[in-house]
Amino acid sequence: MEGSWAEQGRPGGRAAWHCLRMDPFTDTLQRLRETFGSGRTRPAEFRAAQLKGLSRFLQENKELLQEALAQDLHKSAFESEVSEISISQNEVNLALRNLRAWMKDEKVPKNLATQLDSAFIRKEPFGLVLIIAPWNYPLNLSLEPLVGALAAGNCVVLKPSEISKSTEKVLAEVLPRYLDQSCFAVVLGGPQETGQLLEHKFDYIFFTGSPQVGKIVMAAAAKHLTPVTLELGGKNPCYVDDNCDPQTVANRVAFFRYFNCGQTCVAPDYILCSPEMQARLLPALQSAITRFYGEDPQSSPDLGRIISEKNFQRLRGLLSCGRVAIGGQSDESDRYIAPTVLVGVQETEPVMQEEIFGPILPIMNVRSLDEAIEFIRRREKPLALYTFSNSSQVVKRVLAQTSSGGFCGNDGFMHMTVASLPFGGVGASGMGSYHGKFSFDTFSHHRACLLRRPGLEKVYTLRYPPHTPRNLRVLLTAMETRSCSCTLL
């Protein structure tokens, strides 16, 4: 996933203006810490009020948000609704419906030695949380973690991406009107300002962006022993078995690869298939691209644009890898790159060494399923992995013999739409997860609690010296882990 603040700063004048607005951080952070220390954010009623404010923000500013997303990424109304606005609203609704249940103390089984006690897990807010959001889904990837942080009772500093300027402006100027500003703040700026922000102590940091910048965030957090969630990215493999319908595969792969102009951290990054399947797949991909975006994709209202000049130049350089089988056209003045398929690609070429993050799809040939699995396993663990086959055994074998943040058989990133599934990476693709209740749990400290009555001292005297073999046997038996459902308090 592309970094949200490591790319480049704004021109000096505006960067200086931002710095003035953000300096000093100490006052803002102190205000939020005082609010958290007062206990204001802990009651369910306060948390629900913040979530309802988020809901109103989405409902009352829908047109404004669509315009901002169109200006930043040329997102169609369909893409903005499906992947930004509606998905954020659903997350808010889910949290509001389940807030009290999520907050409730969770009773746990007890051993014999604690049968007269109350043992439970209490979900407590961490305190002051920092959310650093990226530019590729600048609304969704700001608000989804924000929902979890507010639902869990934290105070939050949100740092939206300076690359998606129009959405950043809405988040900075409009969103705070809908939330209690004693517990929420938006800060602006580029790499320099974000670096300064990370020098401060937070109680939790949630970062979405590139592995390179994730390492910087993690190093800064380590200085304060601050826990982190890192939502990163990587190269997501897509294995296509010989036993499948090429047009069905092409429809699904093309839709998810070129959605948001390929600027999606969980998009299929490359295809692994046999030369025979490649020959069947290429005309099917051409057919799908033409049906989706017309004979001239540049004029399609449904195809986005590359976010920045820097990313455009990087992607245009990747077009020289292998051989262009479909697409390959580009227009610098429009930051347009056509939906492209590359063949004859070598593993050592740049397009197979970095996350593409654009509308380019390389096809690598493998001779067998074993070779495909070996290829996937010798690379870093991806954020997502896809397998297409009419054989459930093939899909299950890839699932069993590989590791990735998420997995989907016979489709693209639909697993992300299921709120009861966690979303997150593993290894180089990230750590930690969120969505739905997983977001609430991510931003909550799970505190182990045991409450014992002050009396009954005679029952507990066998723990005390002088020790005897008999007392030891009784104590060890009483402390054995048992699957006991007794809830005697």
Side-chain angles (χ1 to χ4, degrees), residues 110-120 448-464 475 478-479 488-489:
K110 296 173 286 188
N111 56 29
L112 188 60
T114 56
Q115 278 304 301
L116 299 177
D117 306 321
S118 173
F120 56 91
C449 303
L450 188 138
L451 304 182
R452 172 157 286 177
R453 299 178 183 182
L456 301 174
E457 181 63 10
K458 287 186 177 181
V459 176
Y460 306 118
T461 55
L462 59 85
R463 324 180 275 194
Y464 306 143
L475 188 60
M479 292 175 63
L488 177 65
L489 300 181

Side-chain angles (χ1 to χ4, degrees), residues 100-110 118-124 437 440-441 444-450 487 489:
R100 290 184 182 274
W102 293 348
M103 290 176 62
K104 189 176 180 181
D105 289 344
E106 179 183 341
K107 292 184 178 180
V108 297
K110 296 173 286 188
S118 173
F120 56 91
I121 299 168
R122 174 157 294 178
K123 290 90 166 184
E124 294 186 338
K437 186 176 184 294
F440 178 87
D441 288 340
S444 299
H445 166 56
H446 288 58
R447 189 178 188 183
C449 303
L450 188 138
T487 56
L489 300 181

Side-chain angles (χ1 to χ4, degrees), residues 373-392:
I373 291 173
E374 192 276 329
F375 184 92
I376 294 167
R377 290 179 62 169
R378 73 169 179 259
R379 300 168 74 88
E380 294 282 9
K381 294 178 180 179
L383 187 57
L385 197 159
Y386 306 100
T387 300
F388 287 85
S389 178
N390 288 335
S391 168
S392 62

Side-chain angles (χ1 to χ4, degrees), residues 64-336:
L64 181 64
L65 289 165
Q66 287 178 332
E67 290 173 357
L69 292 164
Q71 290 166 7
D72 288 333
L73 290 146
H74 197 262
K75 287 200 183 194
S76 66
F78 175 89
E79 285 198 6
S80 293
E81 183 64 41
V82 167
S83 66
E84 299 270 14
I85 299 171
S86 180
I87 199 168
S88 299
Q89 182 67 64
N90 290 343
E91 196 80 1
V92 173
N93 295 344
L94 182 69
L96 280 169
R97 286 197 305 270
N98 294 280
L99 182 60
R100 290 184 182 274
W102 293 348
M103 290 176 62
K104 189 176 180 181
D105 289 344
E106 179 183 341
K107 292 184 178 180
V108 297
K110 296 173 286 188
N111 56 29
L112 188 60
T114 56
Q115 278 304 301
L116 299 177
D117 306 321
S118 173
F120 56 91
I121 299 168
R122 174 157 294 178
K123 290 90 166 184
E124 294 186 338
F126 278 106
L128 181 57
V129 167
L130 171 62
I131 297 173
I132 303 176
W135 52 256
N136 59 325
Y137 290 87
L139 179 68
N140 172 17
L141 296 181
S142 295
L143 295 195
E144 285 212 46
L146 179 60
V147 169
L150 293 175
N154 296 282
C155 290
V156 183
V157 173
L158 173 64
K159 166 62 182 70
S161 172
E162 75 281 4
I163 307 298
S164 45
K165 299 173 185 176
S166 297
T167 308
E168 176 198 43
K169 182 175 168 58
V170 177
L171 291 173
E173 297 182 2
V174 182
L175 177 58
R177 303 174 196 166
Y178 291 83
L179 299 174
D180 189 320
Q181 295 185 46
S182 70
C183 71
F184 174 75
V186 177
V187 295
L188 305 176
Q192 180 180 349
E193 291 85 358
T194 307
Q196 293 170 352
L197 184 63
L198 285 167
E199 292 175 4
H200 292 266
K201 176 178 170 57
F202 291 89
D203 299 306
Y204 202 96
I205 297 176
F206 188 104
F207 169 78
T208 305
S210 69
Q212 177 186 0
V213 181
K215 293 176 182 179
I216 297 172
V217 172
M218 193 171 182
K223 293 178 182 178
H224 302 289
L225 295 179
T226 299
V228 297
T229 290
L230 302 178
E231 295 290 344
L232 308 178
K235 297 188 70 64
N236 305 313
C238 178
Y239 174 67
V240 181
D241 188 35
D242 284 348
N243 179 17
C244 59
D245 175 56
Q247 192 60 64
T248 298
V249 173
N251 293 343
R252 298 178 185 184
V253 171
F255 175 71
F256 287 103
R257 169 71 273 189
Y258 304 123
F259 192 92
N260 198 31
C261 203
Q263 299 165 117
T264 305
C265 58
V266 286
D269 193 89
Y270 61 93
I271 288 176
L272 295 173
C273 69
S274 68
E276 294 77 19
M277 174 49 71
Q278 176 180 302
R280 299 166 62 199
L281 203 53
L282 282 174
L285 283 166
Q286 180 65 78
S287 173
I289 290 169
T290 302
R291 277 185 291 111
F292 293 172
Y293 306 112
E295 295 291 344
D296 177 20
Q298 188 171 4
S299 64
S300 170
D302 298 312
L303 186 67
R305 293 296 185 268
I306 306 306
I307 184 69
S308 67
E309 174 69 17
K310 180 177 180 179
N311 268 359
F312 174 85
Q313 296 297 346
R314 177 185 63 83
L315 288 165
R316 189 158 68 173
L318 297 181
L319 294 174
S320 62
C321 299
R323 176 176 63 84
V324 174
I326 299 172
Q329 299 85 2
S330 64
D331 181 349
E332 183 174 355
S333 66
D334 193 26
R335 298 200 308 274
Y336 164 78

